[in-house]
Amino acid sequence: MSQLHVQATAEEVREKARAIRRRNVEIIRAAGLGHIGGDLSAADILATLYFAVLNVDPEHPDDPERDRYIQSKGHASGVLYTTLAAAGFIPDSLLDTYMADGSALNGHPDRNKVPGVETNTGPLGHGLPVAVGTAIAAKLDHSPRRTFVLVGDGELQEGSNWEAIMAAGHRGLDNLVAIVDRNGLQQGARTEATNALDPLDAKFAAFGWAVRTVDGHDVEALLAAFRAVPFERGRPTCVIAKTTKGQGVSFIEDRVEWHHKVPSAEQTEQALEELS
């Protein structure tokens, strides 16, 4: 099985992330729907994974020995679809149907309709437990495949995640990597005003995880972290990626109202200019 774009440089990954962000803005504007803030915060993470880290092949999306990528924050489907298109899993033209009636590209990703989607996500608190299950399965199969799961920080207020975090630590799942998109905002408010998460690194560590905090928009830092996994043998890995919601677009950055707001035509033009 061939690994996708394993030789991509940091600058090439950054270019991919810029293109993913631009296309993401376009499809949300066209659809009149989407979660643009969380899409933009995660673009560097997804670009780094798909073009420099994951052992996946768009020509063989169901290869049993592929790495698994699970996007638990399934409402941020736009950035997942644009990344899958950039990586060759789906045609770019399919993005023009985003959120349309009957489209495969639903607001929440569907593994039965979209190649490269590992599990249906969207009900927050489900993706990480599923990822724990896939990591256990790999251990039972004596397989080197790894599972990477992206969770939103607000999503970590769901109790099911902490049950999964406890189970992963207990089982020593060093083939599991949880990435927290730590942009500090959730629908309607800041995470710390809603139900405080910090010290998040200490909480993961208390459950038996090896933890690092990185700048989630620094591709070199992301590459260094992902290439170092597992951080410790016998312990699952947690990467807390400090990000900015709406990264790259000045009027969206760190603004809670842009959780699922749609840009106007004029705002779309400005966003695309800023992301060029």
mmCIF file of all heavy atoms in Angstrom, residues 6 39 44-45 48 55 85 87 118 123 144 163 172 190 197 208-209 213 222 237 245 247 257 264:
data_model
loop_
_atom_site.group_PDB
_atom_site.id
_atom_site.type_symbol
_atom_site.label_atom_id
_atom_site.label_comp_id
_atom_site.label_asym_id
_atom_site.label_seq_id
_atom_site.Cartn_x
_atom_site.Cartn_y
_atom_site.Cartn_z
ATOM 1 N N VAL A 6 3.814 11.355 1.028
ATOM 2 C CA VAL A 6 4.648 11.318 2.233
ATOM 3 C C VAL A 6 5.809 12.301 2.149
ATOM 4 O O VAL A 6 6.369 12.666 3.169
ATOM 5 C CB VAL A 6 5.199 9.893 2.483
ATOM 6 C CG1 VAL A 6 4.095 8.964 2.898
ATOM 7 C CG2 VAL A 6 5.943 9.359 1.276
ATOM 8 N N ASP A 39 -14.330 24.914 10.514
ATOM 9 C CA ASP A 39 -13.638 24.411 9.316
ATOM 10 C C ASP A 39 -12.276 25.079 9.186
ATOM 11 O O ASP A 39 -11.253 24.414 8.990
ATOM 12 C CB ASP A 39 -14.453 24.726 8.056
ATOM 13 C CG ASP A 39 -15.643 23.810 7.850
ATOM 14 O OD1 ASP A 39 -15.714 22.758 8.515
ATOM 15 O OD2 ASP A 39 -16.492 24.141 7.006
ATOM 16 N N ASP A 44 -5.236 23.427 8.778
ATOM 17 C CA ASP A 44 -3.806 23.086 8.827
ATOM 18 C C ASP A 44 -3.600 21.680 9.370
ATOM 19 O O ASP A 44 -2.706 20.949 8.917
ATOM 20 C CB ASP A 44 -3.054 24.096 9.699
ATOM 21 C CG ASP A 44 -3.129 25.507 9.141
ATOM 22 O OD1 ASP A 44 -2.666 25.725 8.013
ATOM 23 O OD2 ASP A 44 -3.672 26.378 9.831
ATOM 24 N N ILE A 45 -4.428 21.285 10.316
ATOM 25 C CA ILE A 45 -4.330 19.941 10.896
ATOM 26 C C ILE A 45 -4.629 18.891 9.834
ATOM 27 O O ILE A 45 -3.879 17.925 9.653
ATOM 28 C CB ILE A 45 -5.282 19.795 12.092
ATOM 29 C CG1 ILE A 45 -4.898 20.775 13.209
ATOM 30 C CG2 ILE A 45 -5.286 18.356 12.616
ATOM 31 C CD1 ILE A 45 -5.951 20.913 14.299
ATOM 32 N N THR A 48 -1.948 18.721 7.056
ATOM 33 C CA THR A 48 -0.730 18.048 7.530
ATOM 34 C C THR A 48 -0.931 16.540 7.576
ATOM 35 O O THR A 48 -0.069 15.768 7.118
ATOM 36 C CB THR A 48 -0.349 18.580 8.922
ATOM 37 O OG1 THR A 48 -0.165 19.996 8.861
ATOM 38 C CG2 THR A 48 0.937 17.924 9.419
ATOM 39 N N ASN A 55 -1.117 7.076 6.455
ATOM 40 C CA ASN A 55 -0.886 5.993 5.510
ATOM 41 C C ASN A 55 -2.229 5.624 4.878
ATOM 42 O O ASN A 55 -2.934 4.728 5.343
ATOM 43 C CB ASN A 55 -0.284 4.790 6.235
ATOM 44 C CG ASN A 55 0.037 3.647 5.287
ATOM 45 O OD1 ASN A 55 0.348 3.864 4.119
ATOM 46 N ND2 ASN A 55 -0.035 2.431 5.785
ATOM 47 N N ALA A 85 -11.181 16.008 -1.306
ATOM 48 C CA ALA A 85 -11.105 16.344 -2.728
ATOM 49 C C ALA A 85 -9.664 16.701 -3.109
ATOM 50 O O ALA A 85 -9.155 16.248 -4.140
ATOM 51 C CB ALA A 85 -12.042 17.500 -3.053
ATOM 52 N N ALA A 87 -7.032 15.658 -1.787
ATOM 53 C CA ALA A 87 -6.213 14.449 -1.702
ATOM 54 C C ALA A 87 -6.594 13.395 -2.735
ATOM 55 O O ALA A 87 -5.947 12.348 -2.811
ATOM 56 C CB ALA A 87 -6.323 13.848 -0.298
ATOM 57 N N GLU A 118 -14.461 7.456 7.431
ATOM 58 C CA GLU A 118 -14.357 6.206 8.185
ATOM 59 C C GLU A 118 -15.610 5.878 8.984
ATOM 60 O O GLU A 118 -15.951 4.715 9.163
ATOM 61 C CB GLU A 118 -13.151 6.247 9.118
ATOM 62 C CG GLU A 118 -11.811 6.278 8.406
ATOM 63 C CD GLU A 118 -11.476 4.980 7.686
ATOM 64 O OE1 GLU A 118 -12.185 3.960 7.879
ATOM 65 O OE2 GLU A 118 -10.505 4.976 6.917
ATOM 66 N N PRO A 123 -23.083 13.693 15.889
ATOM 67 C CA PRO A 123 -23.501 13.719 17.296
ATOM 68 C C PRO A 123 -22.237 13.769 18.171
ATOM 69 O O PRO A 123 -21.500 12.797 18.265
ATOM 70 C CB PRO A 123 -24.252 12.396 17.470
ATOM 71 C CG PRO A 123 -24.605 11.955 16.088
ATOM 72 C CD PRO A 123 -23.489 12.447 15.225
ATOM 73 N N PRO A 144 -0.078 -2.723 12.292
ATOM 74 C CA PRO A 144 0.599 -1.452 12.574
ATOM 75 C C PRO A 144 -0.254 -0.229 12.285
ATOM 76 O O PRO A 144 0.193 0.897 12.509
ATOM 77 C CB PRO A 144 1.808 -1.495 11.643
ATOM 78 C CG PRO A 144 1.335 -2.278 10.459
ATOM 79 C CD PRO A 144 0.429 -3.349 11.041
ATOM 80 N N GLU A 163 -15.187 8.705 29.169
ATOM 81 C CA GLU A 163 -15.206 7.249 29.297
ATOM 82 C C GLU A 163 -14.227 6.625 28.298
ATOM 83 O O GLU A 163 -13.484 5.681 28.622
ATOM 84 C CB GLU A 163 -16.614 6.723 29.048
ATOM 85 C CG GLU A 163 -17.631 7.131 30.098
ATOM 86 C CD GLU A 163 -19.041 6.665 29.732
ATOM 87 O OE1 GLU A 163 -19.166 5.615 29.082
ATOM 88 O OE2 GLU A 163 -20.002 7.354 30.098
ATOM 89 N N GLY A 172 -3.738 1.063 27.184
ATOM 90 C CA GLY A 172 -2.419 1.399 26.657
ATOM 91 C C GLY A 172 -2.393 1.509 25.139
ATOM 92 O O GLY A 172 -1.466 1.002 24.501
ATOM 93 N N ARG A 190 -17.645 30.959 24.723
ATOM 94 C CA ARG A 190 -16.318 30.373 24.903
ATOM 95 C C ARG A 190 -16.427 29.110 25.760
ATOM 96 O O ARG A 190 -17.281 29.013 26.636
ATOM 97 C CB ARG A 190 -15.354 31.379 25.539
ATOM 98 C CG ARG A 190 -15.107 32.579 24.650
ATOM 99 C CD ARG A 190 -13.911 33.410 25.068
ATOM 100 N NE ARG A 190 -13.692 34.449 24.062
ATOM 101 C CZ ARG A 190 -12.968 34.280 22.954
ATOM 102 N NH1 ARG A 190 -12.379 33.109 22.737
ATOM 103 N NH2 ARG A 190 -12.839 35.248 22.080
ATOM 104 N N LEU A 197 -12.546 23.625 30.660
ATOM 105 C CA LEU A 197 -11.801 22.420 30.316
ATOM 106 C C LEU A 197 -10.379 22.424 30.875
ATOM 107 O O LEU A 197 -9.798 21.365 31.091
ATOM 108 C CB LEU A 197 -11.720 22.270 28.792
ATOM 109 C CG LEU A 197 -13.046 22.048 28.056
ATOM 110 C CD1 LEU A 197 -12.836 22.178 26.552
ATOM 111 C CD2 LEU A 197 -13.615 20.684 28.402
ATOM 112 N N GLY A 208 -3.823 8.687 31.770
ATOM 113 C CA GLY A 208 -2.814 7.786 31.231
ATOM 114 C C GLY A 208 -2.329 8.100 29.835
ATOM 115 O O GLY A 208 -1.680 7.260 29.202
ATOM 116 N N TRP A 209 -2.606 9.310 29.334
ATOM 117 C CA TRP A 209 -2.184 9.699 27.996
ATOM 118 C C TRP A 209 -0.868 10.475 28.043
ATOM 119 O O TRP A 209 -0.566 11.175 29.015
ATOM 120 C CB TRP A 209 -3.241 10.579 27.339
ATOM 121 C CG TRP A 209 -4.519 9.876 26.984
ATOM 122 C CD1 TRP A 209 -5.360 9.189 27.824
ATOM 123 C CD2 TRP A 209 -5.109 9.792 25.685
ATOM 124 N NE1 TRP A 209 -6.430 8.687 27.135
ATOM 125 C CE2 TRP A 209 -6.316 9.046 25.818
ATOM 126 C CE3 TRP A 209 -4.760 10.285 24.430
ATOM 127 C CZ2 TRP A 209 -7.141 8.779 24.737
ATOM 128 C CZ3 TRP A 209 -5.588 10.026 23.351
ATOM 129 C CH2 TRP A 209 -6.756 9.274 23.505
ATOM 130 N N THR A 213 1.263 19.999 23.706
ATOM 131 C CA THR A 213 0.499 21.135 23.204
ATOM 132 C C THR A 213 1.317 21.828 22.124
ATOM 133 O O THR A 213 2.503 22.108 22.326
ATOM 134 C CB THR A 213 0.178 22.125 24.339
ATOM 135 O OG1 THR A 213 -0.595 21.451 25.342
ATOM 136 C CG2 THR A 213 -0.596 23.323 23.822
ATOM 137 N N LEU A 222 3.233 20.816 13.890
ATOM 138 C CA LEU A 222 2.323 19.687 13.720
ATOM 139 C C LEU A 222 3.073 18.470 13.172
ATOM 140 O O LEU A 222 2.892 17.338 13.651
ATOM 141 C CB LEU A 222 1.181 20.064 12.785
ATOM 142 C CG LEU A 222 0.147 21.042 13.346
ATOM 143 C CD1 LEU A 222 -0.748 21.572 12.225
ATOM 144 C CD2 LEU A 222 -0.703 20.382 14.421
ATOM 145 N N THR A 237 -1.735 8.840 22.631
ATOM 146 C CA THR A 237 -1.168 10.165 22.385
ATOM 147 C C THR A 237 -2.269 11.206 22.275
ATOM 148 O O THR A 237 -3.272 10.989 21.591
ATOM 149 C CB THR A 237 -0.349 10.160 21.083
ATOM 150 O OG1 THR A 237 0.823 9.361 21.265
ATOM 151 C CG2 THR A 237 0.061 11.564 20.678
ATOM 152 N N LYS A 245 -10.395 29.984 15.838
ATOM 153 C CA LYS A 245 -11.600 29.748 15.051
ATOM 154 C C LYS A 245 -11.665 30.789 13.934
ATOM 155 O O LYS A 245 -11.489 31.985 14.164
ATOM 156 C CB LYS A 245 -12.841 29.835 15.935
ATOM 157 C CG LYS A 245 -14.076 29.170 15.333
ATOM 158 C CD LYS A 245 -15.067 28.785 16.409
ATOM 159 C CE LYS A 245 -16.194 27.929 15.829
ATOM 160 N NZ LYS A 245 -17.034 27.343 16.886
ATOM 161 N N GLN A 247 -9.529 30.876 11.370
ATOM 162 C CA GLN A 247 -8.154 31.234 11.030
ATOM 163 C C GLN A 247 -8.004 31.635 9.555
ATOM 164 O O GLN A 247 -8.447 30.936 8.656
ATOM 165 C CB GLN A 247 -7.220 30.050 11.317
ATOM 166 C CG GLN A 247 -5.791 30.212 10.842
ATOM 167 C CD GLN A 247 -5.001 31.222 11.659
ATOM 168 O OE1 GLN A 247 -5.455 31.658 12.718
ATOM 169 N NE2 GLN A 247 -3.824 31.582 11.191
ATOM 170 N N GLU A 257 -19.914 34.291 16.798
ATOM 171 C CA GLU A 257 -21.085 34.288 15.916
ATOM 172 C C GLU A 257 -20.830 33.599 14.581
ATOM 173 O O GLU A 257 -21.778 33.299 13.841
ATOM 174 C CB GLU A 257 -21.568 35.726 15.666
ATOM 175 C CG GLU A 257 -20.622 36.605 14.891
ATOM 176 C CD GLU A 257 -19.698 37.422 15.786
ATOM 177 O OE1 GLU A 257 -19.418 36.955 16.919
ATOM 178 O OE2 GLU A 257 -19.267 38.511 15.357
ATOM 179 N N SER A 264 -21.562 36.877 3.261
ATOM 180 C CA SER A 264 -22.231 37.513 2.132
ATOM 181 C C SER A 264 -21.314 37.461 0.915
ATOM 182 O O SER A 264 -20.141 37.062 1.007
ATOM 183 C CB SER A 264 -22.550 38.963 2.469
ATOM 184 O OG SER A 264 -21.336 39.707 2.601
#
